[in-house]
Amino acid sequence: MTAPIRIPVPAAVGIFKAVYGPQHVVEATLLKDDAERELRRFRGPLSVEDQGDRETALDDWHRADKVLAASPLRPIQPTGVLS
């Protein structure tokens, strides 16, 4: 199984999402990005301290992923447009 390819988001779109998105989703996105960056750091045989750091990063990643999975992609609000 291969990892999905991440498409970079333009800066303006990222800023718009950060300003108008729910705060808990913005924080979870930042936490997940930080955890992914931290997980890429570990290579080869790990020391006990590195194993603990990796477990902490995995915990952060899973916690942020759970928040993002529970959040709808679009807010559930009536738009006022009846078609």
XYZ file of all heavy atoms in Angstrom:
643
model
N 0.846 -1.169 0.000
C 0.000 0.000 0.000
C 0.892 1.233 0.000
O 1.819 1.340 0.777
C -0.887 -0.035 1.236
C -1.845 1.103 1.297
S -3.217 0.826 2.418
C -2.476 1.196 3.975
N 0.595 2.149 -0.889
C 1.394 3.365 -0.979
C 0.658 4.512 -0.307
O -0.569 4.522 -0.224
C 1.670 3.737 -2.450
O 0.425 3.961 -3.099
C 2.420 2.613 -3.158
N 1.427 5.457 0.155
C 0.849 6.634 0.810
C 0.266 7.560 -0.250
O 0.798 7.660 -1.354
C 1.919 7.359 1.611
N -0.833 8.232 0.063
C -1.403 9.169 -0.908
C -0.466 10.351 -1.120
O 0.247 10.772 -0.206
C -2.717 9.611 -0.271
C -2.560 9.316 1.172
C -1.609 8.158 1.283
N -0.475 10.866 -2.318
C 0.364 12.012 -2.644
C -0.340 13.270 -2.157
O -1.505 13.492 -2.442
C 0.604 12.087 -4.166
C 1.340 10.846 -4.634
C 1.373 13.344 -4.530
C 1.458 10.741 -6.136
N 0.391 14.072 -1.394
C -0.194 15.318 -0.887
C 0.030 16.425 -1.897
O 1.148 16.678 -2.319
C 0.444 15.689 0.437
C 0.093 14.674 1.516
C 0.494 15.142 2.848
N -0.291 16.324 3.181
C -0.151 16.996 4.298
N 0.732 16.619 5.174
N -0.887 18.055 4.555
N -1.027 17.075 -2.271
C -0.954 18.189 -3.199
C -0.800 19.460 -2.378
O -1.591 19.707 -1.462
C -2.228 18.251 -4.066
C -2.343 16.970 -4.874
C -2.205 19.478 -4.969
C -3.641 16.833 -5.618
N 0.213 20.269 -2.681
C 0.399 21.485 -1.891
C -0.769 22.462 -2.073
O -1.296 22.619 -3.163
C 1.696 22.074 -2.423
C 1.994 21.373 -3.686
C 1.218 20.099 -3.707
N -1.139 23.094 -0.981
C -2.235 24.060 -0.994
C -1.626 25.449 -1.151
O -0.670 25.795 -0.456
C -3.029 23.973 0.330
C -4.107 25.028 0.383
C -3.613 22.594 0.503
N -2.167 26.261 -2.073
C -1.645 27.632 -2.203
C -1.779 28.393 -0.882
O -2.680 28.139 -0.081
C -2.536 28.255 -3.285
C -3.082 27.099 -4.055
C -3.192 25.968 -3.068
N -0.890 29.323 -0.666
C -0.858 30.070 0.593
C -2.167 30.804 0.856
O -2.655 30.832 1.988
C 0.316 31.045 0.590
N -2.750 31.393 -0.169
C -3.997 32.149 0.024
C -5.130 31.233 0.491
O -5.944 31.618 1.336
C -4.394 32.857 -1.263
N -5.190 30.030 -0.038
C -6.220 29.072 0.368
C -5.989 28.646 1.816
O -6.926 28.550 2.605
C -6.244 27.857 -0.579
C -7.207 26.798 -0.077
C -6.594 28.284 -1.982
N -4.745 28.398 2.178
C -4.426 28.030 3.555
C -4.785 29.122 4.546
O -5.320 28.856 5.625
N -4.511 30.357 4.185
C -4.853 31.484 5.061
C -6.363 31.610 5.194
O -6.890 31.829 6.289
C -4.224 32.786 4.528
C -2.708 32.710 4.661
C -4.761 34.002 5.258
C -1.969 33.812 3.947
N -7.097 31.468 4.083
C -8.555 31.549 4.119
C -9.134 30.464 5.030
O -10.018 30.730 5.848
C -9.114 31.406 2.695
C -10.607 31.487 2.631
C -11.245 32.710 2.611
C -11.383 30.338 2.601
C -12.616 32.794 2.551
C -12.758 30.404 2.547
C -13.380 31.636 2.524
N -8.620 29.235 4.899
C -9.108 28.142 5.739
C -8.791 28.392 7.211
O -9.594 28.075 8.086
C -8.482 26.819 5.291
C -9.063 26.295 3.996
C -8.311 25.119 3.439
C -8.249 23.958 4.366
N -7.596 22.786 3.781
N -7.625 28.967 7.489
C -7.248 29.236 8.876
C -8.098 30.338 9.492
O -8.433 30.283 10.675
C -5.771 29.605 8.953
N -8.476 31.331 8.702
C -9.256 32.449 9.226
C -10.718 32.066 9.416
O -11.328 32.374 10.439
C -9.125 33.681 8.291
C -10.110 34.762 8.678
C -7.712 34.216 8.333
N -11.285 31.361 8.432
C -12.719 31.096 8.457
C -13.079 29.680 8.902
O -14.255 29.374 9.068
C -13.328 31.360 7.079
C -13.295 32.821 6.728
C -12.385 33.304 5.804
C -14.150 33.717 7.345
C -12.347 34.653 5.492
C -14.111 35.060 7.045
C -13.209 35.520 6.110
O -13.166 36.858 5.816
N -12.106 28.835 9.109
C -12.401 27.468 9.539
C -12.590 27.388 11.038
O -12.200 28.296 11.790
N -13.181 26.294 11.510
C -13.315 26.112 12.956
C -11.930 26.014 13.619
O -11.016 25.411 13.061
C -14.069 24.787 13.083
C -14.660 24.529 11.747
C -13.805 25.225 10.755
N -11.807 26.617 14.775
C -10.507 26.686 15.455
C -9.948 25.310 15.765
O -8.751 25.074 15.612
C -10.635 27.518 16.736
C -9.310 27.811 17.396
C -8.404 28.670 16.537
O -8.850 29.454 15.721
N -7.115 28.489 16.698
N -10.800 24.377 16.195
C -10.291 23.050 16.547
C -9.776 22.304 15.314
O -8.838 21.521 15.414
C -11.361 22.235 17.279
C -12.517 21.820 16.428
N -13.546 22.672 16.088
C -12.793 20.639 15.841
C -14.414 22.033 15.331
N -13.986 20.795 15.156
N -10.337 22.578 14.145
C -9.859 21.941 12.918
C -8.515 22.536 12.505
O -7.602 21.807 12.088
C -10.902 22.085 11.792
C -10.354 21.607 10.465
C -12.170 21.334 12.148
N -8.372 23.848 12.630
C -7.107 24.505 12.298
C -5.993 23.991 13.206
O -4.897 23.646 12.744
C -7.248 26.042 12.406
C -5.909 26.729 12.225
C -8.254 26.549 11.391
N -6.279 23.895 14.514
C -5.271 23.395 15.451
C -4.918 21.943 15.166
O -3.750 21.548 15.232
C -5.784 23.546 16.880
C -5.855 24.982 17.337
C -6.528 25.140 18.679
O -6.942 24.125 19.277
O -6.659 26.285 19.135
N -5.916 21.120 14.833
C -5.657 19.709 14.524
C -4.832 19.574 13.249
O -3.949 18.710 13.165
C -6.967 18.946 14.397
N -5.088 20.414 12.270
C -4.315 20.371 11.027
C -2.856 20.717 11.289
O -1.947 20.049 10.782
C -4.913 21.346 9.990
O -6.279 21.003 9.783
C -4.176 21.276 8.682
N -2.626 21.758 12.083
C -1.254 22.136 12.417
C -0.559 21.043 13.222
O 0.618 20.729 12.981
C -1.245 23.454 13.190
C -1.689 24.687 12.410
C -1.774 25.898 13.328
C -0.758 24.948 11.255
N -1.271 20.446 14.180
C -0.694 19.377 14.986
C -0.342 18.170 14.122
O 0.724 17.569 14.286
C -1.668 18.972 16.092
C -1.200 17.879 17.042
C 0.010 18.344 17.836
C -2.320 17.483 17.978
N -1.211 17.831 13.177
C -0.952 16.688 12.301
C 0.250 16.958 11.399
O 1.094 16.081 11.195
C -2.192 16.373 11.476
C -2.070 15.088 10.698
C -3.377 14.716 10.043
C -3.229 13.426 9.268
N -4.466 13.048 8.610
N 0.353 18.168 10.853
C 1.502 18.512 10.014
C 2.804 18.448 10.814
O 3.818 17.951 10.322
C 1.325 19.899 9.397
C 0.279 19.924 8.301
O -0.085 18.841 7.791
O -0.187 21.027 7.970
N 2.784 18.964 12.040
C 3.974 18.908 12.885
C 4.357 17.463 13.208
O 5.539 17.104 13.194
C 3.754 19.676 14.187
C 3.692 21.179 13.981
O 4.127 21.651 12.902
O 3.199 21.871 14.890
N 3.359 16.633 13.484
C 3.633 15.229 13.801
C 4.200 14.504 12.583
O 5.128 13.688 12.719
C 2.366 14.540 14.288
N 3.675 14.784 11.391
C 4.211 14.153 10.183
C 5.660 14.561 9.950
O 6.496 13.742 9.580
C 3.360 14.529 8.969
C 2.034 13.816 8.930
C 1.155 14.256 7.777
O 1.546 15.192 7.024
O 0.076 13.669 7.628
N 5.956 15.835 10.174
C 7.326 16.305 10.021
C 8.250 15.619 11.032
O 9.358 15.215 10.718
C 7.341 17.830 10.203
C 8.437 18.518 9.526
C 8.354 20.046 9.528
N 7.349 20.685 10.358
C 6.149 21.088 9.919
N 5.799 20.895 8.678
N 5.307 21.687 10.725
N 7.755 15.447 12.252
C 8.543 14.786 13.293
C 8.752 13.306 12.965
O 9.833 12.764 13.188
C 7.826 14.938 14.636
C 8.550 14.361 15.811
C 9.754 15.174 16.239
O 9.877 16.329 15.832
O 10.572 14.626 16.989
N 7.742 12.658 12.422
C 7.860 11.231 12.100
C 8.834 10.981 10.959
O 9.468 9.920 10.909
C 6.488 10.651 11.755
C 5.549 10.467 12.944
C 4.163 10.101 12.462
C 6.082 9.414 13.889
N 8.975 11.917 10.037
C 9.929 11.754 8.942
C 11.365 11.834 9.435
O 12.289 11.418 8.733
C 9.696 12.827 7.874
C 8.636 12.430 6.891
C 8.576 13.408 5.735
N 7.262 14.029 5.763
C 7.019 15.309 5.904
N 8.007 16.166 6.007
N 5.791 15.769 5.951
N 11.570 12.351 10.624
C 12.914 12.553 11.164
C 13.578 11.243 11.587
O 14.797 11.114 11.552
C 12.811 13.487 12.379
C 14.112 13.917 12.960
C 13.881 14.941 14.045
N 13.203 14.433 15.208
C 13.833 13.895 16.255
N 15.140 13.811 16.254
N 13.153 13.463 17.282
N 12.781 10.242 11.947
C 13.337 9.010 12.508
C 13.730 8.044 11.399
O 12.929 7.700 10.543
C 12.332 8.351 13.444
C 11.952 9.229 14.601
C 10.696 9.791 14.668
C 12.859 9.514 15.595
C 10.344 10.593 15.719
C 12.527 10.335 16.652
C 11.260 10.878 16.710
N 14.974 7.567 11.436
C 15.484 6.591 10.484
C 16.378 5.603 11.220
O 17.029 5.941 12.191
C 16.317 7.263 9.377
C 15.557 8.207 8.517
C 14.699 7.427 7.526
N 14.031 8.314 6.602
C 12.755 8.642 6.687
N 12.020 8.195 7.649
N 12.208 9.429 5.800
N 16.420 4.402 10.707
C 17.355 3.406 11.219
C 17.029 2.929 12.616
O 15.936 3.147 13.130
N 17.991 2.280 13.242
C 17.759 1.800 14.613
C 17.576 2.984 15.565
O 18.322 3.951 15.530
C 19.026 1.018 14.956
C 19.989 1.261 13.869
C 19.302 1.944 12.741
N 16.547 2.884 16.398
C 16.212 3.981 17.288
C 16.665 3.697 18.714
O 16.564 2.568 19.199
C 14.699 4.219 17.294
C 14.053 4.565 15.949
C 12.549 4.678 16.108
C 14.616 5.848 15.412
N 17.125 4.744 19.373
C 17.452 4.612 20.791
C 16.153 4.627 21.590
O 15.074 4.866 21.055
C 18.357 5.761 21.232
O 17.648 6.974 21.168
N 16.253 4.400 22.878
C 15.069 4.391 23.731
C 14.400 5.767 23.735
O 13.167 5.869 23.674
C 15.454 3.962 25.167
C 14.276 4.062 26.105
C 16.014 2.548 25.162
N 15.202 6.829 23.766
C 14.648 8.178 23.756
C 13.952 8.470 22.435
O 12.865 9.065 22.406
C 15.744 9.226 24.001
C 16.332 9.195 25.392
C 17.432 8.141 25.530
O 17.863 7.574 24.499
O 17.833 7.878 26.666
N 14.558 8.041 21.318
C 13.946 8.248 20.014
C 12.655 7.453 19.869
O 11.699 7.913 19.246
C 14.910 7.868 18.891
C 16.010 8.900 18.704
O 15.852 10.031 19.201
O 17.024 8.573 18.053
N 12.613 6.263 20.434
C 11.386 5.461 20.381
C 10.260 6.176 21.137
O 9.120 6.205 20.687
C 11.617 4.076 20.979
C 12.455 3.175 20.105
C 12.764 1.843 20.780
O 12.347 1.593 21.913
N 13.507 0.996 20.091
N 10.598 6.756 22.281
C 9.600 7.513 23.044
C 9.121 8.738 22.286
O 7.927 9.038 22.274
N 10.059 9.451 21.628
C 9.685 10.620 20.829
C 8.803 10.212 19.652
O 7.845 10.913 19.315
C 10.929 11.338 20.314
C 11.725 11.998 21.425
O 11.164 12.170 22.533
O 12.899 12.331 21.182
N 9.126 9.076 19.041
C 8.323 8.591 17.912
C 6.912 8.220 18.376
O 5.928 8.521 17.704
C 9.001 7.388 17.275
C 8.272 6.871 16.053
C 9.056 5.733 15.392
N 8.392 5.308 14.183
C 7.390 4.422 14.144
N 6.945 3.882 15.250
N 6.833 4.085 13.001
N 6.806 7.582 19.537
C 5.490 7.224 20.066
C 4.663 8.475 20.390
O 3.454 8.504 20.149
C 5.636 6.352 21.321
C 6.156 4.962 21.031
C 5.222 4.152 20.172
O 3.993 4.262 20.348
O 5.715 3.422 19.297
N 5.322 9.503 20.907
C 4.626 10.760 21.192
C 4.129 11.407 19.904
O 2.997 11.893 19.834
C 5.562 11.725 21.941
O 6.008 11.095 23.140
C 4.862 13.021 22.281
N 4.972 11.400 18.864
C 4.566 11.969 17.573
C 3.422 11.161 16.965
O 2.488 11.736 16.393
C 5.757 12.013 16.622
N 3.478 9.837 17.072
C 2.377 9.008 16.570
C 1.086 9.292 17.322
O 0.005 9.350 16.721
C 2.730 7.523 16.701
C 3.609 6.942 15.610
C 4.017 5.518 15.980
C 2.899 6.955 14.280
N 1.186 9.491 18.637
C 0.010 9.812 19.441
C -0.593 11.145 19.007
O -1.807 11.259 18.855
C 0.400 9.845 20.919
C -0.777 10.160 21.818
O -1.812 9.486 21.679
O -0.648 11.073 22.652
N 0.259 12.146 18.779
C -0.226 13.451 18.310
C -0.896 13.320 16.949
O -1.947 13.911 16.703
C 0.929 14.456 18.221
C 1.461 14.855 19.576
O 0.755 14.619 20.580
O 2.589 15.391 19.634
N -0.276 12.538 16.057
C -0.826 12.359 14.719
C -2.202 11.692 14.778
O -3.143 12.134 14.118
C 0.136 11.520 13.865
C -0.261 11.473 12.433
C 0.115 12.340 11.457
C -1.125 10.516 11.815
N -0.461 11.974 10.266
C -1.226 10.859 10.451
C -1.827 9.408 12.271
C -2.002 10.136 9.557
C -2.596 8.689 11.372
C -2.677 9.054 10.039
N -2.320 10.639 15.583
C -3.594 9.930 15.687
C -4.682 10.800 16.330
O -5.844 10.756 15.921
C -3.431 8.620 16.462
C -2.781 7.552 15.651
N -3.401 6.925 14.599
C -1.555 6.994 15.736
C -2.594 6.028 14.069
N -1.463 6.056 14.735
N -4.316 11.578 17.341
C -5.279 12.457 17.985
C -5.791 13.512 16.998
O -7.002 13.770 16.910
C -4.651 13.127 19.204
C -5.644 13.904 20.037
C -5.057 14.544 21.289
N -4.099 13.713 21.984
C -2.801 14.007 22.086
N -2.316 15.099 21.538
N -1.989 13.224 22.755
N -4.874 14.116 16.231
C -5.278 15.124 15.243
C -6.108 14.487 14.127
O -7.096 15.069 13.671
C -4.043 15.804 14.652
N -5.739 13.286 13.718
C -6.490 12.595 12.667
C -7.911 12.287 13.126
O -8.862 12.388 12.346
C -5.758 11.309 12.274
C -6.344 10.680 11.030
O -6.539 11.396 10.037
O -6.604 9.457 11.061
N -8.062 11.942 14.383
C -9.392 11.650 14.930
C -10.268 12.910 14.937
O -11.449 12.852 14.598
C -9.241 11.094 16.347
C -10.483 10.510 16.921
C -10.178 9.843 18.257
C -11.384 9.111 18.774
N -11.099 8.417 20.022
N -9.686 14.049 15.289
C -10.435 15.308 15.278
C -10.842 15.663 13.852
O -11.987 16.054 13.593
C -9.596 16.449 15.902
C -10.238 17.800 15.658
C -9.404 16.215 17.388
N -9.910 15.508 12.910
C -10.213 15.855 11.522
C -11.241 14.903 10.915
O -12.088 15.316 10.116
C -8.931 15.857 10.689
C -7.938 16.958 11.042
C -6.646 16.778 10.268
C -8.532 18.313 10.777
N -11.192 13.633 11.284
C -12.156 12.672 10.752
C -13.559 12.934 11.296
O -14.549 12.656 10.614
C -11.715 11.257 11.092
N -13.657 13.464 12.495
C -14.961 13.721 13.101
C -15.566 15.051 12.638
O -16.731 15.310 12.895
C -14.836 13.726 14.625
N -14.785 15.866 11.949
C -15.264 17.173 11.508
C -15.765 17.076 10.070
O -15.086 16.507 9.219
C -14.138 18.201 11.569
O -13.633 18.271 12.876
N -16.933 17.651 9.794
C -17.414 17.631 8.411
C -16.532 18.514 7.529
O -15.955 19.505 7.989
C -18.827 18.191 8.509
C -18.833 18.981 9.763
C -17.847 18.326 10.682
N -16.413 18.145 6.261
C -15.599 18.943 5.350
C -16.221 20.303 5.101
O -15.534 21.291 4.909
C -15.431 18.209 4.018
C -14.616 16.923 4.086
C -14.583 16.255 2.712
C -13.211 17.203 4.557
N -17.535 20.341 5.103
C -18.253 21.597 4.924
C -19.169 21.788 6.117
O -19.728 20.828 6.629
C -19.086 21.560 3.657
C -18.242 21.455 2.425
C -19.079 21.469 1.201
N -18.203 21.358 0.041
C -18.637 21.081 -1.155
N -19.911 20.878 -1.371
N -17.801 21.007 -2.162
N -19.343 23.022 6.564
C -20.254 23.240 7.696
C -21.667 22.871 7.314
O -22.110 23.080 6.189
C -20.109 24.724 7.992
C -19.440 25.323 6.823
C -18.726 24.232 6.097
N -22.369 22.303 8.256
C -23.753 21.895 8.024
C -24.646 23.082 8.388
O -25.053 23.244 9.529
C -24.107 20.648 8.834
C -23.139 19.530 8.493
C -25.535 20.231 8.597
C -23.270 18.308 9.370
N -24.899 23.937 7.421
C -25.739 25.114 7.614
C -26.617 25.271 6.391
O -26.146 25.063 5.257
C -24.899 26.373 7.765
C -23.985 26.371 8.957
C -23.105 27.606 8.977
O -23.197 28.457 8.100
N -22.237 27.701 9.951
N -27.849 25.635 6.574
C -28.680 25.918 5.390
C -28.146 27.160 4.691
O -27.767 28.138 5.335
C -30.069 26.129 5.969
C -29.857 26.439 7.413
C -28.577 25.783 7.817
N -28.097 27.101 3.388
C -27.553 28.227 2.623
C -28.611 29.233 2.228
O -28.294 30.310 1.774
C -26.874 27.715 1.345
O -27.837 27.018 0.568
C -25.708 26.819 1.681
N -29.878 28.871 2.380
C -30.941 29.780 1.998
C -31.316 29.652 0.532
O -32.253 30.259 0.063
N -30.582 28.834 -0.202
C -30.890 28.617 -1.620
C -31.743 27.371 -1.714
O -31.346 26.293 -1.274
C -29.597 28.439 -2.436
C -29.925 28.122 -3.884
C -28.728 29.663 -2.323
N -32.931 27.529 -2.237
C -33.827 26.392 -2.409
C -33.905 26.076 -3.893
O -34.293 26.908 -4.704
C -35.225 26.721 -1.861
C -35.260 27.098 -0.379
C -36.663 27.524 0.005
C -34.813 25.923 0.468
N -33.518 24.873 -4.254
C -33.566 24.520 -5.667
C -34.512 23.358 -5.895
O -34.924 22.683 -5.043
C -32.194 24.170 -6.191
O -31.601 23.187 -5.393
